[in-house]
Amino acid sequence: MKVGVLASGSGTNLQALIHAASRGELGPARIVVVGANVPGCGALERAAQAGIPTFVRSHKDFATREDFDRALLDELRRHGVGLVVLAGFMRILTPTLLDVFPHRVVNIHPALLPAFPGVHAQKQAFDYGVRFSGCTVHFVDAGTDTGPIIAHAVVPVLDGDDEEALRLRILAEEHRLYPAVIRAIAEGRVSVNGRRVHVRGTPAELRDSRMRSL
Ligand code: GRF
């Protein structure tokens, strides 16, 4: 399965996927292209380092979200992408792109959805005073972080934490959870029934964790 990754930032999740692929841990998933809307962002550098083709389309160059999505779509199609992986991609996608990839666009969010959607999720959770937070991998729909949930990983909020400590604890889980989900999708082990998502054959080391749903 050909994967296209879209990113806007430093790209540590992309890096985790690249590492997983190099260790044979992404199953049949292969990252064939990385696209970004921010020229020079870290994700583009990481892709180039790994020898993965890249493209840049700045949303600022397009009059509407739909025009921007059509430009992304052209590139993804050109590379034969079958699964679109958002890894810190800070734009809302429209049905112009989403309808072409039904249940084939995924995102990772640094909070336990449906709590704390949108930007600065770790700060939202920290300021709220939750004792547990984590990350969510979900299918993308036209809302903001509202699509069907595939997997969660939970982390505690410890006494003495600040927002940065929580962000890093969540990020470490993101780097474990995202490759496992991409592999499961690529291996055809993920099915969707309305809002409920079922993942078959979760690897034992992940299944044993009571704090991780995958
Ligand atoms: C991560 O926290 C992810 O959950 C969110 O954006 C951030 C991307 O970080 N969607 P990175 O660019 O992968 O380091």
Side-chain angles (χ1 to χ4, degrees), residues 9-14 87-90 107-110 122 171 174-175:
S10 70
T12 66
N13 275 286
L14 168 66
F89 187 62
M90 300 303 286
N107 182 43
I108 189 158
H109 181 74
Q122 304 97 326
L171 194 61
E174 294 182 35
H175 296 164

Side-chain angles (χ1 to χ4, degrees), residues 153-197:
V154 181
V155 304
V157 183
L158 302 177
D159 292 341
D161 271 357
D162 57 12
E163 194 194 312
E164 179 65 3
L166 178 61
R167 188 185 75 80
L168 292 174
R169 193 174 301 124
I170 293 170
L171 194 61
E173 287 301 314
E174 294 182 35
H175 296 164
R176 277 189 276 269
L177 190 66
Y178 219 4
V181 171
I182 303 309
R183 177 180 192 154
I185 293 171
E187 290 179 344
R189 293 189 283 112
V190 177
S191 51
V192 191
N193 183 6
R195 282 209 59 91
R196 299 208 63 85
V197 178

